[in-house]
Amino acid sequence: MSDNLRYALIRAHLRPVDIAAELGVDPKTVDRWLKGRIPYPRHRWAIAELLNLDEGELWPDTVPRRQGVSNEILAVYPHRWAVPHAVWQDLFESATEEIGILAYSSLFLAEDAGLIRKIAERARNGVRIRILLGDPDSQEVAARGSDERIGGHTMAAKIRNAITLFQPLRGLPGAELRFHRTVLYNSIYRADDELLVNAHVYGVPAADAPVVHLRANGDQGSVPVYLTSFERTWDTADPGT
């Protein structure tokens, strides 16, 4: 018996004959539906629309099960500024092999003396540090400044400030900074197989855009995609001076 359909008709103050008349079917057909027979798709859609319900509320077995959220995802933050400071600390502190930063300026990070010290500490313990910033003289940086509505000159100035603040890392063994001319769709902050991915949204500063916290769970997930993007950007970047 289709209790869902029966209760929905009662709530809507409709009788089986009303449904039959609306759909142009025999009332006996509606009786069979009420006894448990599942209507053809065109009739299910029509009934759901008539009752202002989703098809799945009336016939749950007809709706494909939705895939659960990937177990790669540790957290999703609505804005970069909403990521707790402890998450950034734990990310870089956890690195045993590599820390990677791919952004335009990452000035918020460069200005955080505590995080810079943690990254420097990891470098002294043999962790490779790779930092990719936008070439401040590039068209791509100017375009991103316009996208964020702060202007190309302001974006270039932010990068130059970040370069100065990252200087203490450049002298450490295994630490290197390069400059890219890439149109970035995300900034990537990596510690081994764990990532914080900051989306770039047109017209929105990166600090206001969402961040997804990921941890690799194999070769088939999304983390390898981001790491491949990082490597390709690194390979084409300018070591600078």
Side-chain angles (χ1 to χ4, degrees):
M1 181 175 293
S2 180
D3 289 334
N4 289 8
L5 177 58
R6 186 178 301 277
Y7 295 148
L9 292 183
I10 293 172
R11 288 195 300 269
H13 304 290
L14 292 174
R15 299 169 299 169
V17 293
D18 298 323
I19 297 295
E22 186 70 29
L23 271 61
V25 299
D26 192 298
K28 293 181 180 179
T29 300
V30 179
D31 287 336
R32 286 193 287 270
W33 294 341
L34 290 169
K35 291 177 180 177
R37 179 173 294 184
I38 297 177
Y40 290 121
R42 67 178 185 276
H43 290 145
R44 295 200 304 268
W45 301 334
I47 294 169
E49 183 176 359
L50 179 64
L51 297 174
N52 196 28
L53 295 171
D54 291 330
E55 178 187 352
E57 295 180 78
L58 297 171
W59 300 280
D61 292 340
T62 66
V63 179
R65 293 186 180 272
R66 297 178 180 177
Q67 184 176 1
V69 176
S70 168
N71 57 9
E72 285 183 303
I73 300 175
L74 302 180
V76 178
Y77 302 95
H79 315 286
R80 192 185 68 203
W81 55 259
V83 180
H85 190 262
V87 172
W88 294 102
Q89 288 182 315
D90 292 345
L91 177 76
F92 296 125
E93 204 168 47
S94 70
T96 59
E97 296 181 2
E98 178 166 351
I99 288 173
I101 296 168
L102 170 58
Y104 278 117
S105 74
S106 193
L107 182 58
F108 80 98
L109 176 57
E111 289 177 328
D112 192 320
L115 290 181
I116 294 298
R117 282 196 294 270
K118 284 190 179 295
I119 294 172
E121 179 186 330
R122 301 318 300 149
R124 295 186 187 98
N125 282 274
V127 174
R128 186 184 186 189
I129 310 296
R130 291 193 290 171
I131 301 172
L132 276 161
L133 303 181
D135 181 339
D137 297 319
S138 68
Q139 293 181 349
E140 291 77 11
V141 164
R144 179 57 187 170
S146 297
D147 290 348
E148 289 195 7
R149 300 181 180 179
I150 62 173
H153 294 299
T154 301
M155 179 62 73
K158 288 176 63 176
I159 293 172
R160 292 189 174 95
N161 287 342
I163 293 170
T164 299
L165 293 168
F166 277 126
Q167 284 301 322
L169 298 177
R170 298 184 75 178
L172 297 175
E176 188 176 353
L177 190 151
R178 293 185 182 182
F179 302 96
H180 66 84
R181 292 172 172 262
T182 307
V183 177
L184 292 184
Y185 301 101
N186 303 276
S187 293
I188 300 173
Y189 301 90
R190 174 193 183 187
D192 299 337
D193 62 353
E194 195 167 322
L195 308 178
L196 286 171
V197 179
N198 186 186
H200 289 188
V201 181
Y202 180 79
V204 176
D208 289 335
V211 170
V212 180
H213 191 175
L214 301 170
R215 180 180 292 145
N217 64 356
D219 296 332
Q220 304 303 315
S222 59
V223 169
V225 176
Y226 288 112
L227 295 183
T228 297
S229 174
F230 185 101
E231 294 298 335
R232 288 177 177 172
T233 307
W234 181 261
D235 289 343
T236 59
D238 182 357
T241 57

